[in-house]
Amino acid sequence: MPAPVTVGVSLKMYFGHRQAREWFARVAPRLAAHPAVASGGVRVFVIPTYLQVLPAREAFADTPVLVGAQDAATEDSGAFTGEVSAAELAEVGASVVEIGHAERRRLFGETDEITALKAAAALRNGLTPVLCLGEADRQDGVDAAAATVAQLHADLAGAPAGPVIVAYEPVWAIGAAEPAPVAHIETVTRALTAALSALPDRAGSAVIYGGSAGPGLLTELGDAVDGLFLGRFAHDPDAFLAVIDEAAALAEVSR
């Protein structure tokens, strides 16, 4: 059976609690009724804030949509004020957890070593890491691919076996007016896919693209990626569902 096309969205800290619940209420019925989502041809995940995880679980309970968190602690329990563990996230029904986003690295000084510890925590607790990778400065696609593959290995160092969702997000494209050029994305994502395929303990992994991704991009990228990781463009449910439709078309082609 072909692997599903993956479409994820991180709401970052854009929505307050009421606004997030309204977004869930608008999106959940449309995803529940979408044939490609219901059949598993398109895998969808939604990552809200910590306080929104439980309302999201409730809203998407009758759908195959996976709910996740935007970060997790390196440890499972202990005196770590302000942290939320992967163990607790798994306990409340989270399925995925975003690890190593560029904002965590830039604003909070998270290194590859810290990211690797968080990826390990996610995997040992049964969560799928959404591992965010990407070069800081714009560079040639071949050089970007080499740097990102090296980052992949560093961020999975010591992590238990299990599939990961690698989100290639070049830092210079996050929040930009346009995504990275298609040829650049293809060069890097194909290198990441090859690197993951060479790891015996990462079967079932996927490589998706984020960084100002929106409607139309997935069709352009075709089989160079396994899906998209959306940000602000998914705030509009119609735009979000347009990407789901694109993913469904690609899933049908791959059957």
Side-chain angles (χ1 to χ4, degrees), residues 11-213:
L11 298 178
K12 299 196 178 185
M13 205 178 70
Y14 284 115
F15 290 174
H17 205 74
R18 182 175 64 182
Q19 189 177 7
R21 292 175 71 102
E22 290 171 351
W23 188 88
F24 302 153
R26 294 176 66 190
V27 169
R30 297 176 67 177
L31 292 177
H34 200 291
V37 177
S39 69
V42 176
R43 174 176 60 170
V44 181
F45 66 83
V46 173
I47 300 181
T49 69
Y50 285 132
L51 288 178
Q52 296 159 11
V53 168
L54 289 177
R57 284 276 297 147
E58 180 181 354
F60 293 106
D62 295 327
T63 78
V65 173
L66 307 176
V67 174
Q70 295 176 20
D71 192 29
T74 59
E75 307 299 324
D76 292 348
S77 66
F80 301 100
T81 301
E83 291 286 81
V84 177
S85 72
E88 184 179 4
L89 291 170
E91 185 180 358
V92 300
S95 301
V96 300
V97 59
E98 191 174 357
I99 299 293
H101 190 275
E103 290 158 2
R104 299 295 310 179
R105 298 175 192 261
R106 175 174 58 86
L107 297 173
F108 301 102
E110 294 191 4
T111 62
D112 287 330
E113 290 77 14
I114 292 172
T115 302
L117 290 172
K118 292 186 173 188
L123 285 163
R124 71 172 171 261
N125 285 288
L127 300 179
T128 299
V130 179
L131 178 60
C132 300
L133 309 173
E135 73 278 12
D137 301 312
R138 190 162 184 167
Q139 54 189 279
D140 175 82
V142 174
D143 291 337
T148 308
V149 168
Q151 191 178 32
L152 171 72
H153 289 299
D155 289 349
L156 291 177
V164 299
I165 299 171
V166 174
Y168 171 54
E169 295 192 300
V171 178
W172 49 270
I174 297 173
E178 300 288 338
V182 167
H184 180 96
I185 297 171
E186 290 179 340
T187 299
V188 178
T189 55
R190 292 193 188 281
L192 286 168
T193 298
L196 276 172
S197 298
L199 298 175
D201 53 355
R202 302 296 167 209
S205 295
V207 176
I208 61 179
Y209 172 78
S212 300

Side-chain angles (χ1 to χ4, degrees), residues 212-220 228 230 233-234 238-243 246:
S212 300
L217 180 60
L218 190 53
T219 300
E220 290 188 75
L228 290 184
L230 306 173
F233 289 106
D238 289 337
F240 186 26
L241 268 293
V243 175
E246 290 178 62

